[in-house]
Amino acid sequence: MKGTALPVALLLLLAAIIAPTTAHTSEDLVYGYECRAGLCRKVELSEENFSKAISLPVCRLFCGSSIGTLWPKPTGAVRLDTLMRQVDISFIDFNITGIARKEKLWKAAENRWMDMIDAKIPDRKILTRGGYRLTVNVNTPDDVAPAKLTLDTDESYRLDVDTDPSGHVVASIAASNFFGARHGLETLSQLIVYDDLRREVQVTANASISDAPAFKWRGLLLDTSRNYYSVKAIKRTLDGMALVKLNTFHWHITDSHSFPLEVRKRPELYKLGAYSPRQVYTQRTVAEVVEYGRVRGIRVMPEFDAPAHVGEGWQHKNMTACFNAQPWKDFCVEPPCGQLDPTVDGLYDVLEDIYSEMWELFSPDVFHMGGDEVSTSCWNCSLPIRQWMKAQGWGLETADFMRLWGHFQTEALKRVDTVANGTQTPIILWTSHLTEEPFIDEYLNPERYIIQIWTTGGDPKVKKILKRGFKTIVSNYDALYFDCGGAGWVSDGNNWCSPYIGWQKVYDNTMSEIAGDYEHHVLGAEAAIWSEQIDEHTLDNRFWPRGSALAERLWSNPNESWKQAESRLLLHRERLVENGLGAEALQPQWCLQNERECPVDAYDAQA
């Protein structure tokens, strides 16, 4: 059906299948849609043409695209028959096999899915009664292994929707595990729409979709140290991620600004380090967030950034250098400054306690140790550090301070391995001076470390990391730092990474362009929100719908540019809002209702 209008016979078939069960008066007349030349065109309705009308959601499912309004677009074969069935929402059944020991997990996933269907209905009082029964069958054979997302998890699924002669609709999802099946449910929810002309919930009567992600790592990073975010706001972000099959929430939970994480073995850290007693992530609430993410197919991965980016909470330990030193620009990239002192033996016992409780709370399959923006001038301003280095026979040159950094990383990693029971958990580090030549060869093992790239996508240092065999996660700031674009906060003008990054640049930020021949070393990517100028009140419109653009890049890795996705994204943005996310508006609503009439070059090809 690509690029062709729906035939008149098909419009009549749709009208016959979904004809209203009650008479409509002139007060009910609104706009409807017709598919013309592969585009949904708005038409004014009358009593005469109402019976042949199609609502916008129905029209967009079938008109001009083989994938309808699905987001992210599936990577396998898609078949959507042009037939809709009214769903009786009081007769939706779930049959789930292969879920021994996972009943609670699946029940939570089922309840969430039903909430999503309910969110499609603007007013139950006017919902047309009747319709057909919908049965959802889910088959996952892994009934023994715990449902935990790892780098080896198969997230593929197959979805088939069929209708029997009685009108009973059966949706069948087959997957290797909970996570793939959950993605199938997400796709199924997008094949169910609310028809505002007939005031009924409808489902695609026949469909088949095979799907699997292009990249294993599809994430968002949220910094909760610079500004605190409520658990409610974090959960809302996880909801948005689940809608678009993002699978990693990178929780940058502490920094020099605050230490809001409860560590029971070291309570002084959060008692001194949190902004207030109310702004602490207790172990109970962290466990709640981790499980909330798991139900939505998301790993919640903690980052404990060190040896830099520490300060508040560490005041009385004599384990830091340059804490809140002034003028700050001489010691760090933003206030307050602070770095751990790697020469203090007791430091590593504290780190082990922090790591131990993070392991208990998060059970990470991958752990982020930070390693970002270490300042040699900070360490060099400390007399005890300089004396310790001289006692080792070291100098005080840059290479010597890099050696100190390597010493810290080695000793800290030993403590990670202790709490991880020697499982050799993969470790993520940010790009830094430590990941540059020659230090990367001296201190980092590509079999153990994953490097998260935050430099520009075109930085030649990226290829130097990749050619050494390091797996990477891409977060190039020129496309994936969603806090860019705003006023300066430590200076006049705009913030350091301005301008604002549009969703189009996010969508076209391809891993192949960044990695070239080494794309096979790229696990995926993350978009980041660093929270100097963002808090929970402005969070949603910073992540969404740009996070959705990233999701399609990582799930589908399309060959086409953002232009082919624009009209789908407009409708997808409405779905985000429908599910409680304050997603940024992309265009006037008129453009949503008048497909392809807004792009400046829409008619250039016809000229």
Side-chain angles (χ1 to χ4, degrees):
M1 200 185 305
K2 292 182 179 179
T4 60
L6 289 170
V8 173
L10 175 57
L11 299 183
L12 293 174
L13 175 61
L14 280 167
I17 294 297
I18 58 178
T21 57
T22 57
H24 288 259
T25 66
S26 58
E27 287 78 17
D28 296 311
L29 298 181
V30 290
Y31 290 101
Y33 290 84
E34 295 177 357
C35 185
R36 301 175 187 166
L39 297 173
C40 291
R41 292 307 188 192
K42 190 175 180 180
V43 294
E44 188 173 349
L45 296 176
S46 65
E47 294 285 0
E48 289 73 27
N49 69 7
F50 187 90
S51 64
K52 296 183 290 184
I54 304 176
S55 68
L56 179 59
V58 172
C59 183
R60 291 293 303 277
L61 267 177
F62 303 121
C63 183
S65 171
S66 62
I67 63 167
T69 55
L70 296 176
W71 194 286
K73 65 190 299 185
T75 56
V78 176
R79 176 183 61 83
L80 301 177
D81 285 0
T82 52
L83 189 66
M84 301 296 287
R85 289 286 188 192
Q86 181 187 0
V87 176
D88 187 337
I89 61 171
S90 63
F91 287 99
I92 299 178
D93 308 313
F94 276 79
N95 295 316
I96 302 173
T97 61
I99 60 164
R101 304 191 327 201
K102 298 191 183 72
E103 290 84 357
K104 184 178 179 181
L105 179 66
W106 263 112
K107 189 61 181 178
E110 177 185 333
N111 290 341
R112 173 182 173 270
W113 192 85
M114 290 300 299
D115 288 342
M116 290 168 59
I117 302 306
D118 192 61
K120 298 176 184 290
I121 305 168
D123 186 354
R124 276 182 172 265
K125 295 178 182 177
I126 64 171
L127 186 66
T128 302
R129 295 181 179 181
Y132 296 95
R133 182 177 182 176
L134 170 62
T135 297
V136 181
N137 295 324
V138 179
N139 181 25
T140 58
D142 77 319
D143 58 352
V144 176
K148 179 180 178 179
L149 184 70
T150 72
L151 292 176
D152 296 321
T153 299
D154 177 4
E155 297 179 80
S156 66
Y157 68 91
R158 179 177 175 85
L159 168 64
D160 292 287
V161 182
D162 298 291
T163 303
D164 69 17
S166 71
H168 178 197
V169 181
V170 179
S172 300
I173 297 170
S176 297
N177 51 61
F178 167 81
F179 299 98
R182 192 221 69 83
H183 294 325
L185 275 179
E186 208 71 48
T187 298
L188 176 60
S189 75
Q190 295 186 30
L191 300 181
I192 298 173
V193 300
Y194 177 76
D195 183 340
D196 54 359
L197 296 182
R198 289 161 185 82
R199 299 172 179 172
E200 62 189 35
V201 175
Q202 298 172 6
V203 62
T204 307
N206 296 282
S208 64
I209 298 171
S210 295
D211 201 7
F215 292 95
K216 296 178 180 181
W217 195 277
R218 309 179 305 279
L220 297 180
L221 176 153
L222 182 62
D223 157 28
T224 63
S225 170
R226 291 171 173 87
N227 276 309
Y228 178 85
Y229 293 80
S230 68
V231 170
K232 181 179 179 181
I234 293 172
K235 287 181 175 180
R236 197 168 63 247
T237 298
L238 295 172
D239 285 336
M241 293 175 66
L243 287 170
V244 293
K245 304 183 178 76
L246 290 170
N247 70 355
T248 301
F249 178 70
H250 176 168
W251 196 347
H252 185 90
I253 197 166
T254 66
D255 211 288
S256 60
H257 308 73
S258 74
F259 195 110
L261 175 66
E262 179 189 14
V263 179
R264 290 176 178 170
K265 294 175 183 176
R266 304 284 179 170
E268 67 280 2
L269 289 171
Y270 72 91
K271 288 184 177 180
L272 289 172
Y275 285 125
S276 77
R278 294 179 294 102
Q279 293 172 301
V280 173
Y281 300 109
T282 66
Q283 298 208 353
R284 180 184 62 80
T285 56
V286 169
E288 190 177 313
V289 168
V290 170
E291 181 62 14
Y292 196 87
R294 191 171 73 109
V295 169
R296 286 152 183 77
I298 300 165
R299 71 160 58 81
V300 178
M301 181 197 67
E303 176 186 354
F304 183 73
D305 200 354
H309 291 278
V310 298
E312 294 292 344
W314 293 82
Q315 288 94 321
H316 304 315
K317 291 187 174 300
N318 296 319
M319 294 178 177
T320 60
C322 70
F323 173 59
N324 199 20
Q326 295 293 345
W328 61 264
K329 60 185 176 62
D330 294 340
F331 305 102
C332 63
V333 297
E334 67 179 54
C337 299
Q339 289 182 188
L340 296 176
D341 180 348
T343 70
V344 178
D345 290 338
L347 167 66
Y348 301 99
D349 292 333
V350 178
L351 291 178
E352 183 173 331
D353 288 340
I354 295 170
Y355 298 150
S356 175
E357 297 199 17
M358 282 186 160
W359 240 259
E360 292 174 8
L361 291 168
F362 295 93
S363 185
D365 68 303
V366 181
F367 184 62
H368 206 304
M369 295 182 71
D372 184 32
E373 296 175 328
V374 172
S375 166
T376 57
S377 63
C378 172
W379 281 335
N380 199 18
C381 77
S382 166
L383 178 60
I385 290 177
R386 294 199 305 270
Q387 290 175 335
W388 186 91
M389 292 174 68
K390 290 179 180 177
Q392 311 306 308
W394 302 356
L396 298 176
E397 302 300 322
T398 298
D400 299 297
F401 286 104
M402 296 304 296
R403 188 175 182 181
L404 180 64
W405 189 353
H407 165 75
F408 168 83
Q409 188 59 39
T410 299
E411 294 303 313
L413 182 60
K414 290 178 182 177
R415 301 308 180 105
V416 167
D417 287 343
T418 297
V419 304
N421 296 317
T423 56
Q424 296 286 296
T425 301
I427 301 299
I428 303 175
L429 291 178
W430 291 103
T431 45
S432 65
H433 291 309
L434 197 66
T435 64
E436 296 176 3
E437 298 172 333
F439 311 114
I440 188 171
D441 297 319
E442 293 181 44
Y443 303 115
L444 302 179
N445 180 356
E447 297 300 317
R448 188 67 195 277
Y449 286 99
I450 298 166
I451 307 302
Q452 186 161 6
I453 309 292
W454 72 267
T455 183
T456 62
D459 191 330
K461 295 175 184 176
V462 175
K463 298 279 180 59
K464 292 180 179 180
I465 292 171
L466 287 165
K467 76 177 184 179
R468 286 173 162 81
F470 285 91
K471 299 294 185 183
T472 60
I473 296 166
V474 173
S475 295
N476 52 311
Y477 75 77
D478 54 341
L480 296 179
Y481 271 26
F482 287 0
D483 51 299
C484 296
W489 68 279
V490 292
S491 64
D492 59 5
N494 294 328
N495 62 13
W496 73 276
C497 59
S498 288
Y500 178 90
I501 298 165
W503 75 268
Q504 298 93 331
K505 189 168 187 178
V506 177
Y507 193 93
D508 286 349
N509 188 58
T510 65
M511 304 303 104
S512 59
E513 186 173 344
I514 293 169
D517 294 338
Y518 303 101
E519 186 181 5
H520 58 285
H521 287 319
V522 177
L523 295 177
E526 287 179 5
I529 282 185
W530 302 104
S531 296
E532 287 91 343
Q533 298 172 279
I534 301 170
D535 64 12
E536 66 177 87
H537 304 291
T538 53
L539 175 64
D540 285 10
N541 63 25
R542 285 293 188 135
F543 263 146
W544 309 108
R546 291 186 294 174
S548 302
L550 174 66
E552 182 148 299
R553 170 53 54 198
L554 297 176
W555 182 278
S556 315
N557 198 25
N559 294 321
E560 304 88 352
S561 75
W562 62 268
K563 289 187 177 182
Q564 59 81 27
E566 184 176 42
S567 60
R568 264 190 309 118
L569 186 61
L570 293 182
L571 206 63
H572 168 72
R573 184 263 175 184
E574 300 302 303
R575 189 181 301 125
L576 294 173
V577 174
E578 177 181 275
N579 283 276
L581 292 155
E584 184 178 37
L586 299 176
Q587 295 178 0
Q589 192 172 349
W590 188 90
C591 300
L592 172 68
Q593 296 183 352
N594 294 271
E595 188 179 2
R596 289 291 299 167
E597 291 292 327
C598 289
V600 67
D601 60 349
Y603 290 88
D604 288 357
Q606 303 175 26

